[in-house]
Amino acid sequence: MQVFDEKHLLWQNSKTCKHLAALVQDILGTNTVKKVLCFGLGDFCRSAPEWLKRQHGSWDENSEVKNVMGCMIQHSMALTIAQLCRGNKTLPLLAQDPDYTEVTEEILAKKEFKIVGTHGAGGFAEIDEESIIISPFAAAPVKQIIADLARPVLIISTGFEVFNGNE
């Protein structure tokens, strides 16, 4: 947990975090956000999946560290967004990733995350018009599923395929 705290502090003090906060505040405007949902942010307590190692060809210890750091930053980004939307009220921060280990789930629970639906549609059932969705590199077709369920306030996503060239 100490490593996560250190990386979260580095994130909070970064220029990227400050730019993200400004962008999110600008986009939110007067919209009401009642929950933040995260899909596939990755497990920072386990080795990278084999498919990722194969995709990159050469995979070494440095690659493993970068992968873990990426997962920590994604969770720190979610914490930042939840804090921006929270103000003085309670705001659920929900996460779903079938690859979470028990250790990761324990760390995230101590950091305000609630793990939902480790498998299946648990997280998707929570999506509504007052949600923010964070799903940067999920293997599941998250954007396509969301499009059939609701129109969230904000979707933060990149990934392997996008809806169109403007995303």
Side-chain angles (χ1 to χ4, degrees):
M1 182 139 93
Q2 180 181 353
V3 173
F4 184 87
D5 290 339
E6 290 171 6
K7 299 311 172 194
H8 182 65
L9 184 60
L10 284 172
W11 161 255
Q12 287 178 310
N13 293 322
S14 71
K15 289 180 182 179
T16 305
C17 179
K18 289 170 184 37
H19 288 297
L20 175 69
L23 284 170
V24 169
Q25 287 175 325
D26 186 44
I27 290 169
L28 291 179
T30 60
N31 290 308
T32 301
V33 175
K34 292 192 176 173
K35 63 184 114 173
V36 175
L37 293 112
C38 306
F39 296 97
L41 298 188
D43 188 300
F44 45 80
C45 292
R46 117 179 354 187
S47 181
E50 288 302 316
W51 66 265
L52 183 60
K53 293 177 182 179
R54 281 189 297 248
Q55 183 179 14
H56 287 283
S58 63
W59 191 265
D60 57 14
E61 187 175 315
N62 191 38
S63 302
E64 196 69 54
V65 170
K66 286 180 182 179
N67 180 63
V68 169
M69 291 294 297
C71 295
M72 287 186 185
I73 290 170
Q74 290 171 172
H75 286 88
S76 291
M77 180 180 76
L79 281 167
T80 298
I81 291 170
Q83 290 165 350
L84 288 170
C85 297
R86 180 176 294 128
N88 295 326
K89 60 185 187 280
T90 302
L91 182 100
L93 175 56
L94 311 173
Q96 180 173 352
D97 191 322
D99 287 337
Y100 282 151
T101 58
E102 284 184 34
V103 175
T104 297
E105 288 182 8
E106 289 172 16
I107 292 170
L108 293 175
K110 292 176 184 174
K111 298 297 175 189
E112 305 175 36
F113 285 86
K114 178 183 175 196
I115 308 303
V116 291
T118 52
H119 298 289
F124 294 108
E126 297 284 340
I127 297 171
D128 61 25
E129 286 75 19
E130 295 177 318
S131 303
I132 289 180
I133 311 298
I134 304 170
S135 177
F137 296 102
V142 174
K143 291 175 280 199
Q144 291 81 349
I145 294 168
I146 293 168
D148 290 336
L149 298 174
R151 296 282 184 236
V153 173
L154 177 63
I155 300 173
I156 298 175
S157 180
T158 59
F160 307 109
E161 296 179 18
V162 294
F163 279 138
N164 59 52
N166 297 322
E167 186 175 37

mmCIF file of all heavy atoms in Angstrom, residues 6 18 33 52 74 81-82 85 100 104 113 116-118 120-122 126 128 141 146 154:
data_model
loop_
_atom_site.group_PDB
_atom_site.id
_atom_site.type_symbol
_atom_site.label_atom_id
_atom_site.label_comp_id
_atom_site.label_asym_id
_atom_site.label_seq_id
_atom_site.Cartn_x
_atom_site.Cartn_y
_atom_site.Cartn_z
ATOM 1 N N GLU A 6 2.709 6.419 -2.461
ATOM 2 C CA GLU A 6 3.797 7.228 -3.027
ATOM 3 C C GLU A 6 3.490 7.623 -4.466
ATOM 4 O O GLU A 6 3.678 8.778 -4.855
ATOM 5 C CB GLU A 6 5.116 6.455 -2.966
ATOM 6 C CG GLU A 6 5.666 6.286 -1.563
ATOM 7 C CD GLU A 6 6.859 5.343 -1.508
ATOM 8 O OE1 GLU A 6 7.349 4.904 -2.574
ATOM 9 O OE2 GLU A 6 7.297 5.028 -0.380
ATOM 10 N N LYS A 18 -3.014 18.199 -12.778
ATOM 11 C CA LYS A 18 -3.588 19.546 -12.754
ATOM 12 C C LYS A 18 -4.341 19.860 -14.050
ATOM 13 O O LYS A 18 -5.425 20.444 -14.036
ATOM 14 C CB LYS A 18 -2.495 20.567 -12.485
ATOM 15 C CG LYS A 18 -1.982 20.500 -11.041
ATOM 16 C CD LYS A 18 -0.747 21.337 -10.834
ATOM 17 C CE LYS A 18 -0.157 21.232 -9.452
ATOM 18 N NZ LYS A 18 -0.168 19.967 -8.781
ATOM 19 N N VAL A 33 -22.970 14.880 -10.961
ATOM 20 C CA VAL A 33 -22.343 13.556 -11.015
ATOM 21 C C VAL A 33 -22.604 12.889 -9.675
ATOM 22 O O VAL A 33 -22.294 13.447 -8.631
ATOM 23 C CB VAL A 33 -20.831 13.648 -11.284
ATOM 24 C CG1 VAL A 33 -20.182 12.276 -11.210
ATOM 25 C CG2 VAL A 33 -20.572 14.301 -12.631
ATOM 26 N N LEU A 52 -0.374 -9.243 -23.384
ATOM 27 C CA LEU A 52 0.331 -7.965 -23.474
ATOM 28 C C LEU A 52 1.819 -8.201 -23.697
ATOM 29 O O LEU A 52 2.445 -7.530 -24.514
ATOM 30 C CB LEU A 52 0.103 -7.145 -22.197
ATOM 31 C CG LEU A 52 0.712 -5.763 -22.155
ATOM 32 C CD1 LEU A 52 0.155 -4.881 -23.277
ATOM 33 C CD2 LEU A 52 0.452 -5.109 -20.801
ATOM 34 N N GLN A 74 -3.818 5.069 -13.375
ATOM 35 C CA GLN A 74 -5.227 5.041 -13.764
ATOM 36 C C GLN A 74 -6.130 5.079 -12.529
ATOM 37 O O GLN A 74 -7.148 5.776 -12.514
ATOM 38 C CB GLN A 74 -5.517 3.800 -14.621
ATOM 39 C CG GLN A 74 -4.878 3.904 -15.976
ATOM 40 C CD GLN A 74 -4.939 2.634 -16.793
ATOM 41 O OE1 GLN A 74 -4.586 2.662 -17.937
ATOM 42 N NE2 GLN A 74 -5.373 1.518 -16.251
ATOM 43 N N ILE A 81 -10.707 12.365 -10.034
ATOM 44 C CA ILE A 81 -11.989 12.730 -10.633
ATOM 45 C C ILE A 81 -13.108 12.618 -9.607
ATOM 46 O O ILE A 81 -13.973 13.493 -9.510
ATOM 47 C CB ILE A 81 -12.263 11.877 -11.885
ATOM 48 C CG1 ILE A 81 -11.268 12.290 -12.981
ATOM 49 C CG2 ILE A 81 -13.708 12.025 -12.358
ATOM 50 C CD1 ILE A 81 -11.255 11.384 -14.185
ATOM 51 N N ALA A 82 -13.094 11.558 -8.802
ATOM 52 C CA ALA A 82 -14.114 11.397 -7.763
ATOM 53 C C ALA A 82 -14.041 12.544 -6.759
ATOM 54 O O ALA A 82 -15.074 13.090 -6.356
ATOM 55 C CB ALA A 82 -13.957 10.056 -7.062
ATOM 56 N N CYS A 85 -15.596 15.701 -8.203
ATOM 57 C CA CYS A 85 -17.059 15.636 -8.306
ATOM 58 C C CYS A 85 -17.732 15.596 -6.935
ATOM 59 O O CYS A 85 -18.894 15.965 -6.804
ATOM 60 C CB CYS A 85 -17.470 14.396 -9.090
ATOM 61 S SG CYS A 85 -16.888 14.387 -10.785
ATOM 62 N N TYR A 100 -8.527 -8.266 -10.893
ATOM 63 C CA TYR A 100 -8.102 -7.816 -9.567
ATOM 64 C C TYR A 100 -7.781 -9.009 -8.668
ATOM 65 O O TYR A 100 -8.548 -9.956 -8.563
ATOM 66 C CB TYR A 100 -9.202 -7.010 -8.877
ATOM 67 C CG TYR A 100 -9.368 -5.586 -9.333
ATOM 68 C CD1 TYR A 100 -10.611 -4.964 -9.260
ATOM 69 C CD2 TYR A 100 -8.303 -4.838 -9.808
ATOM 70 C CE1 TYR A 100 -10.792 -3.648 -9.652
ATOM 71 C CE2 TYR A 100 -8.468 -3.525 -10.216
ATOM 72 C CZ TYR A 100 -9.712 -2.942 -10.134
ATOM 73 O OH TYR A 100 -9.881 -1.640 -10.521
ATOM 74 N N THR A 104 -5.050 -6.380 -4.304
ATOM 75 C CA THR A 104 -5.433 -5.127 -4.959
ATOM 76 C C THR A 104 -6.794 -4.663 -4.454
ATOM 77 O O THR A 104 -6.984 -3.480 -4.173
ATOM 78 C CB THR A 104 -5.454 -5.297 -6.489
ATOM 79 O OG1 THR A 104 -4.126 -5.612 -6.926
ATOM 80 C CG2 THR A 104 -5.927 -4.039 -7.190
ATOM 81 N N PHE A 113 -12.481 2.988 -3.029
ATOM 82 C CA PHE A 113 -13.091 2.235 -4.115
ATOM 83 C C PHE A 113 -14.022 1.159 -3.555
ATOM 84 O O PHE A 113 -13.733 0.555 -2.525
ATOM 85 C CB PHE A 113 -12.029 1.519 -4.965
ATOM 86 C CG PHE A 113 -11.259 2.412 -5.878
ATOM 87 C CD1 PHE A 113 -10.122 3.077 -5.430
ATOM 88 C CD2 PHE A 113 -11.644 2.574 -7.195
ATOM 89 C CE1 PHE A 113 -9.380 3.883 -6.278
ATOM 90 C CE2 PHE A 113 -10.918 3.380 -8.056
ATOM 91 C CZ PHE A 113 -9.787 4.045 -7.591
ATOM 92 N N VAL A 116 -17.169 -3.825 -7.639
ATOM 93 C CA VAL A 116 -18.492 -4.328 -8.021
ATOM 94 C C VAL A 116 -18.354 -5.375 -9.113
ATOM 95 O O VAL A 116 -17.465 -5.287 -9.957
ATOM 96 C CB VAL A 116 -19.418 -3.195 -8.526
ATOM 97 C CG1 VAL A 116 -19.792 -2.265 -7.396
ATOM 98 C CG2 VAL A 116 -18.791 -2.416 -9.674
ATOM 99 N N GLY A 117 -19.222 -6.347 -9.084
ATOM 100 C CA GLY A 117 -19.326 -7.327 -10.159
ATOM 101 C C GLY A 117 -18.010 -7.765 -10.741
ATOM 102 O O GLY A 117 -17.706 -7.435 -11.875
ATOM 103 N N THR A 118 -17.233 -8.530 -10.000
ATOM 104 C CA THR A 118 -15.927 -8.938 -10.519
ATOM 105 C C THR A 118 -16.053 -9.611 -11.883
ATOM 106 O O THR A 118 -15.185 -9.493 -12.716
ATOM 107 C CB THR A 118 -15.207 -9.879 -9.534
ATOM 108 O OG1 THR A 118 -16.085 -10.957 -9.197
ATOM 109 C CG2 THR A 118 -14.809 -9.144 -8.281
ATOM 110 N N GLY A 120 -19.169 -10.401 -14.979
ATOM 111 C CA GLY A 120 -20.549 -10.122 -15.369
ATOM 112 C C GLY A 120 -20.836 -8.645 -15.466
ATOM 113 O O GLY A 120 -19.955 -7.829 -15.682
ATOM 114 N N ALA A 121 -22.090 -8.303 -15.273
ATOM 115 C CA ALA A 121 -22.566 -6.946 -15.550
ATOM 116 C C ALA A 121 -22.725 -6.075 -14.311
ATOM 117 O O ALA A 121 -23.402 -5.064 -14.355
ATOM 118 C CB ALA A 121 -23.903 -7.032 -16.288
ATOM 119 N N GLY A 122 -22.103 -6.434 -13.203
ATOM 120 C CA GLY A 122 -22.274 -5.677 -11.963
ATOM 121 C C GLY A 122 -22.023 -4.193 -12.100
ATOM 122 O O GLY A 122 -22.829 -3.367 -11.677
ATOM 123 N N GLU A 126 -24.791 -0.231 -12.903
ATOM 124 C CA GLU A 126 -24.720 1.027 -12.147
ATOM 125 C C GLU A 126 -24.716 2.270 -13.041
ATOM 126 O O GLU A 126 -24.857 3.389 -12.567
ATOM 127 C CB GLU A 126 -23.461 1.044 -11.280
ATOM 128 C CG GLU A 126 -23.415 -0.034 -10.218
ATOM 129 C CD GLU A 126 -24.321 0.288 -9.043
ATOM 130 O OE1 GLU A 126 -24.681 1.461 -8.843
ATOM 131 O OE2 GLU A 126 -24.662 -0.666 -8.311
ATOM 132 N N ASP A 128 -25.659 5.302 -15.287
ATOM 133 C CA ASP A 128 -26.829 6.132 -15.547
ATOM 134 C C ASP A 128 -26.378 7.484 -16.083
ATOM 135 O O ASP A 128 -25.196 7.693 -16.358
ATOM 136 C CB ASP A 128 -27.714 6.264 -14.303
ATOM 137 C CG ASP A 128 -26.992 6.919 -13.125
ATOM 138 O OD1 ASP A 128 -26.030 7.687 -13.339
ATOM 139 O OD2 ASP A 128 -27.395 6.661 -11.986
ATOM 140 N N PRO A 141 -15.915 -4.549 -24.710
ATOM 141 C CA PRO A 141 -16.403 -3.430 -25.533
ATOM 142 C C PRO A 141 -17.227 -2.449 -24.690
ATOM 143 O O PRO A 141 -18.434 -2.283 -24.893
ATOM 144 C CB PRO A 141 -17.249 -4.134 -26.597
ATOM 145 C CG PRO A 141 -17.753 -5.356 -25.910
ATOM 146 C CD PRO A 141 -16.648 -5.789 -24.982
ATOM 147 N N ILE A 146 -22.060 0.714 -23.006
ATOM 148 C CA ILE A 146 -22.579 1.955 -22.419
ATOM 149 C C ILE A 146 -23.593 2.606 -23.353
ATOM 150 O O ILE A 146 -24.630 3.100 -22.912
ATOM 151 C CB ILE A 146 -21.427 2.935 -22.107
ATOM 152 C CG1 ILE A 146 -20.556 2.385 -20.988
ATOM 153 C CG2 ILE A 146 -21.968 4.318 -21.739
ATOM 154 C CD1 ILE A 146 -19.256 3.122 -20.812
ATOM 155 N N LEU A 154 -19.804 11.915 -18.639
ATOM 156 C CA LEU A 154 -18.472 11.911 -19.240
ATOM 157 C C LEU A 154 -17.973 10.471 -19.358
ATOM 158 O O LEU A 154 -18.168 9.673 -18.443
ATOM 159 C CB LEU A 154 -17.514 12.725 -18.354
ATOM 160 C CG LEU A 154 -16.053 12.818 -18.728
ATOM 161 C CD1 LEU A 154 -15.858 13.523 -20.061
ATOM 162 C CD2 LEU A 154 -15.280 13.557 -17.625
#
